[in-house]
Amino acid sequence: MLTSKATGRAVRALTSALLATATVTALAHSASAADSLASAAAAKGRYFGTAVAANHLGESAYAGTLDQEFGAVTPENEMKWDATEGTRNTFTFTAADQIVGHAQGKGMKIRGHTLVWHSQLPSWVSGLGATDLRAAMNNHITQLMQHYKGKIYAWDVVNEAFQDGSSGARRSSPFQDKLGDGYIEEAFRTARSVDPAAKLCYNDYNTDGVNAKSNAVYNMVKDFKSRGVPIDCVGFQSHFNSASPVPSDYQANLQRFADLGVDVQITELDIEGSGTAQANNYANVVKACLGVTRCTGMTVWGITDKYSWRSSGTPLLFDSNYAKKPAYDAVLTALGGSAGGGGGGDDGGGGGTAATCTVSFTRTADWNDGYNGQVTVTAGSSPITGWSVPVTFASPQKVTALWNGSPSWDGGGTVATVRPTYNGNLAAGASTSFGFTVAKNGSSAVPTLGACTAS
């Protein structure tokens, strides 16, 4: 579930100057009329944030909409294990530092995402024995939290540790399989020892209503609170669509967790659809959070539909040209602000023929245990400056390498939304491609391509 470039040295050098700016900006959000998502939420004692990808911060419409509308950020992929510790004990923070630096400069809260997760793990992690894995997990938590100590409002310490379905069981992962149930508690205790001031959260999806999975999480949190295990908050990802709608007991479920003595946060909200139906669903989610005193904030998983991991479902508040959708107006109104329509930031539009693209797949090599694939992206009848392609891989296949594209993965680790690394600008009718190596793990199925979205 799912990208800043300033270096750590630059961030640290600018800290004193940014602090004053951050203070002024934060005061402006709370004191101004409720004319943005951030200011309207602040007036209700909540934050309203978004997931951010570092490689889009150079786009004026993206950064402008972020700065105008949002009061908190969550790095989309830049703090995950594969992005920060691809090689054991060699840490890279450049992209995450860019997001943190940008957010600090605008007085935004920062959610750290995520410390321990079964997905987007470098291969070396799953190859460790139990003793080494425990040491590596605690070291990874320690190094990330020390690097950002004092800058992160809340950390998703452990992410998606429970199975879907009716079992309520823990999900199989290197951590669960080799360290057992106690790894979650150990991760939280390690996190508290490193940064006592940061909020420590457990985060998961398909837990929005009362069901077997949310009951299992609830029982874990109840146990942790009774034994003094340091947990401060529970994150609800809230990815909704027609097959998984906003449950009728959504607010009641949030409230029962809050009653355990933890904050609740909506951490990765997106709702597929359009028009009035989508707007009403968004409004209901906001109202549910406002109805729970300990629901401290909401984060939508992205700014614009064109960069969403579910872009074909148009699940966000701004369309691919950064125009505010009816869902935006519904959210602002639910927060007590005044909806006014219009675009968000500099849309970079200009009219003319709509940007389009098409995609095709070729298997370029095949062997017993794997294959190489290539996806070709072709611009339509007008030039494009960017593209995104959802690629669904058959479970239990695993992508071991991907080139000429930047993937964002879904919570299950099977759907990658691939965007350009350097090859986004295409003349009308021109083509580019990205490729990947897949470990078959017993399945020879070809991937399924979603619709190509152009900008």
Side-chain angles (χ1 to χ4, degrees):
M1 42 188 298
L2 137 85
T3 319
S4 303
K5 301 171 189 167
T7 67
R9 288 191 300 273
V11 171
R12 287 189 290 272
L14 288 170
T15 298
S16 59
L18 294 177
L19 184 58
T21 304
T23 303
V24 171
T25 306
L27 289 172
H29 272 315
S30 60
S32 66
D35 57 357
S36 71
L37 300 173
S39 58
K44 297 289 188 180
R46 309 311 199 268
Y47 65 82
F48 201 96
T50 185
V52 172
N55 61 334
H56 299 318
L57 284 172
E59 182 182 336
S60 61
Y62 185 93
T65 306
L66 168 64
D67 295 348
Q68 168 63 31
E69 294 291 345
F70 298 98
V73 302
T74 302
E76 220 173 290
N77 292 294
E78 292 77 359
M79 287 184 180
K80 292 173 182 174
W81 203 313
D82 59 350
T84 54
E85 194 186 2
T87 301
R88 187 171 184 180
N89 212 30
T90 299
F91 289 86
T92 303
F93 298 115
T94 305
D97 283 349
Q98 185 185 354
I99 295 176
V100 170
H102 185 98
Q104 285 189 306
K106 301 298 180 180
M108 298 174 176
K109 290 182 182 289
I110 304 160
R111 296 191 80 261
H113 178 77
T114 178
L115 296 172
V116 181
W117 186 33
H118 69 276
S119 188
Q120 290 181 242
L121 278 177
S123 59
W124 65 265
V125 178
S126 56
L128 298 177
T131 300
D132 263 358
L133 181 61
R134 172 171 281 107
M137 180 185 79
N138 288 323
N139 182 60
H140 184 79
I141 294 169
T142 299
Q143 295 302 320
L144 261 69
M145 293 189 73
Q146 282 182 342
H147 184 79
Y148 293 110
K149 189 171 183 178
K151 301 175 182 178
I152 302 295
Y153 161 70
W155 278 102
D156 290 331
V157 179
V158 176
N159 198 50
E160 299 175 3
F162 287 84
Q163 294 181 16
D164 290 321
S166 60
S167 70
R170 298 286 184 91
R171 179 193 297 274
S172 175
S173 72
F175 308 104
Q176 180 67 36
D177 299 346
K178 296 176 183 178
L179 304 181
D181 287 354
Y183 87 88
I184 300 180
E185 176 177 341
E186 183 169 352
F188 275 87
R189 291 193 183 278
T190 299
R192 176 66 87 226
S193 71
V194 179
D195 189 350
K199 296 280 189 180
L200 306 182
C201 306
Y202 175 79
N203 189 53
D204 217 325
Y205 68 98
N206 285 350
T207 55
D208 306 291
V210 177
N211 56 39
K213 187 175 183 180
S214 66
N215 285 341
V217 176
Y218 177 90
N219 289 333
M220 179 189 73
V221 175
K222 184 177 181 181
D223 172 61
F224 280 9
K225 294 299 290 184
S226 71
R227 295 190 294 110
V229 179
I231 184 169
D232 304 307
C233 41
V234 176
F236 297 82
Q237 293 186 17
S238 299
H239 298 294
F240 298 124
N241 55 33
S242 58
S244 179
V246 181
S248 59
D249 57 356
Y250 186 60
Q251 181 175 331
N253 188 51
L254 297 178
Q255 185 64 60
R256 70 166 178 155
F257 277 87
D259 290 343
L260 292 176
V262 293
D263 291 340
V264 293
Q265 301 171 359
I266 299 168
T267 55
E268 303 184 17
L269 176 64
D270 53 18
I271 304 177
E272 291 189 346
S274 61
T276 302
Q278 183 184 46
N280 289 341
N281 282 325
Y282 262 107
N284 288 336
V285 169
V286 173
K287 291 173 185 176
C289 179
L290 295 178
V292 177
T293 302
R294 294 199 68 158
C295 183
T296 55
M298 294 154 273
T299 297
V300 288
W301 202 246
I303 297 172
T304 167
D305 284 339
K306 73 174 177 175
Y307 295 139
S308 167
W309 67 291
R310 302 198 295 178
S311 58
S312 61
T314 61
L316 297 174
L317 302 179
F318 296 86
D319 70 16
S320 59
N321 291 316
Y322 296 92
K324 297 171 182 175
K325 296 162 61 175
Y328 171 94
D329 292 337
V331 168
L332 189 61
T333 299
L335 289 169
S338 301
D346 176 12
D347 67 16
T353 305
T356 61
C357 55
T358 56
V359 289
S360 61
F361 171 76
T362 304
R363 189 178 294 216
T364 57
D366 195 285
W367 58 96
N368 287 341
D369 300 324
Y371 66 87
N372 285 343
Q374 177 176 293
V375 175
T376 299
V377 180
T378 303
S381 58
S382 61
I384 65 176
T385 58
W387 47 262
S388 67
V389 182
V391 185
T392 302
F393 296 90
S395 180
Q397 292 181 357
K398 295 295 180 184
V399 175
T400 59
L402 191 148
W403 52 93
N404 294 347
S406 177
S408 298
W409 289 92
D410 72 332
T414 59
V415 182
T417 299
V418 183
R419 301 181 177 89
T421 48
Y422 61 88
N423 48 344
N425 289 296
L426 296 176
S431 297
T432 188
S433 64
F434 61 90
F436 39 78
T437 299
V438 175
K440 291 180 180 177
N441 292 328
S443 171
S444 295
V446 300
T448 301
L449 304 182
C452 183
T453 302
S455 55

